[in-house]
Amino acid sequence: MRSDCHIFTRRGLLYTGLGVGTAALTGVAAGAFALHESGRSGHVAAAAKHPADPTRPAGGGAGAGTRPVRGLPHTEHAAGDSYRLRPLAGETSMGAPSAHPPVRTQAEMTLPGTHGRRVLALTFDDGPHPVHTPALLEVLRRHGVQATFFVVGENAAVFPELLHDIAADGHVVGNHSYSHRQLTRLRTEDIESELSRTSDLIDRVLGLPPTWCRAPYGDWHAPSLKICARLGMEPMGWSLDTRDWSRPGTATIVRAVLDQVAPGAIVLQHDGGGPRDQTVQAVDRYLPVLLEQGYTCVRPEA
């Protein structure tokens, strides 16, 4: 009888303990749910208090929450914000698929969709240069003209402030590889490195990756075009070569532009890669003539 009492006593204690434990777990779960709902309500309230600005780019773009630091900021990136982690078309493991430019068979040689309008695109390669790029920016600013600067990553890494100056004046900053190596002679992994390193650098400095790319020497092939598209860029060539890289003289550069210009032209010039004072002077001389002829210098639309 005494033994039975002990058994009943032990069973009672066991059931009591189980009841207390269950109640405790229920309380923890309820508290966690309440905390989650409270945090969720806080986020909703914060979003209502600070609605998204539709003029700001999404993701890691400039103005998405914080202003990009001038110069070359810290290299760490949130995985979700990295342009290199955007899923390929049809891939949903990282969320909804994002749009990528289709793989082109060749670069754009003239501005698309101009329909005979007197528009052209001025492009400058191989910079930024600490002397010629600021001088060229001053000329373009004075004439109220915008252009596209295809920067070499090695130069941009040394002069990141010039990327800010280019973008601040409303010009397009494009990718011209990291070390100006001929892409068609490189292994696929080296092409990827040349283009992605420069895109990553521009993204870190300006808060937004480039949407246009020009291959060194304008030399594209199928693998490089595929990588260009995968990195979210369109390839651009040119229809009017000033050959300013050979330093033929200011008058020769001016004549090359005025003699060959046509609606939709993409003009190739350089602000880096050597002395470019002739180019700066030529731009200052031919721009008033083009503007008087009714031409408008535009940014390419990606």
Side-chain angles (χ1 to χ4, degrees):
M1 183 68 152
R2 184 179 180 87
S3 176
D4 290 340
C5 288
H6 282 302
I7 291 172
F8 291 139
T9 301
R10 286 198 299 270
R11 285 178 178 174
L13 290 173
L14 177 61
Y15 291 144
T16 301
L18 288 173
V20 172
T22 302
L25 289 174
T26 304
V28 170
F33 178 78
L35 182 61
H36 171 74
E37 287 300 302
S38 173
R40 186 168 177 266
S41 299
H43 285 307
V44 171
K49 185 177 180 182
H50 302 289
D53 183 352
T55 64
R56 292 183 177 181
T66 57
R67 183 175 179 172
V69 179
R70 293 179 69 85
L72 200 57
H74 192 54
T75 57
E76 289 185 1
H77 247 245
D81 291 340
S82 175
Y83 70 95
R84 288 179 295 179
L85 295 181
R86 294 173 184 167
L88 296 174
E91 170 59 51
T92 59
S93 62
M94 297 176 63
S98 61
H100 283 289
V103 178
R104 306 295 184 185
T105 56
Q106 64 177 20
E108 293 283 3
M109 309 304 288
T110 59
L111 291 172
T114 57
H115 305 297
R117 291 181 295 119
R118 290 201 161 197
V119 296
L120 57 86
L122 299 181
T123 66
F124 300 92
D125 291 8
D126 298 352
H129 187 279
V131 174
H132 305 306
T133 301
L136 187 56
L137 288 174
E138 193 280 325
V139 169
L140 296 173
R141 193 180 305 122
R142 182 152 36 84
H143 293 287
V145 164
Q146 292 186 328
T148 301
F149 289 78
F150 286 102
V151 302
V152 172
E154 287 180 339
N155 296 337
V158 178
F159 305 108
E161 284 290 317
L162 291 178
L163 294 190
H164 284 286
D165 293 340
I166 292 169
D169 279 359
H171 306 297
V172 175
V173 177
N175 186 326
H176 197 41
S177 82
Y178 197 82
S179 59
H180 208 273
R181 299 170 68 190
Q182 191 169 349
L183 301 182
T184 55
R185 296 187 176 185
L186 301 180
R187 297 176 302 172
T188 301
E189 54 267 35
D190 293 329
I191 298 171
E192 180 95 30
S193 175
E194 283 285 321
L195 299 185
S196 66
R197 288 178 71 190
T198 303
S199 283
D200 187 46
L201 187 149
I202 294 171
D203 191 8
R204 283 185 280 126
V205 173
L206 297 180
L208 202 66
T211 55
W212 286 99
C213 183
R214 174 171 285 162
Y217 315 104
D219 195 8
W220 293 98
H221 65 338
S224 56
L225 287 167
K226 184 176 181 179
I227 292 170
C228 176
R230 190 163 69 241
L231 293 176
M233 297 183 290
E234 293 276 7
M236 183 184 290
W238 59 84
S239 60
L240 197 166
D241 186 356
T242 63
R243 298 184 62 83
D244 64 331
W245 57 268
S246 64
R247 293 182 55 77
T250 300
T252 302
I253 299 172
V254 171
R255 190 163 53 250
V257 173
L258 297 181
D259 288 351
Q260 301 178 54
V261 69
I266 298 176
V267 184
L268 172 64
Q269 297 159 105
H270 298 77
D271 64 320
R276 300 299 174 220
D277 50 298
Q278 292 181 3
T279 301
V280 175
Q281 294 166 12
V283 172
D284 199 19
R285 285 174 54 180
Y286 70 63
L287 269 180
V289 179
L290 290 178
L291 296 175
E292 187 176 343
Q293 292 177 352
Y295 278 97
T296 302
C297 299
V298 300
R299 295 160 47 104
E301 297 296 332

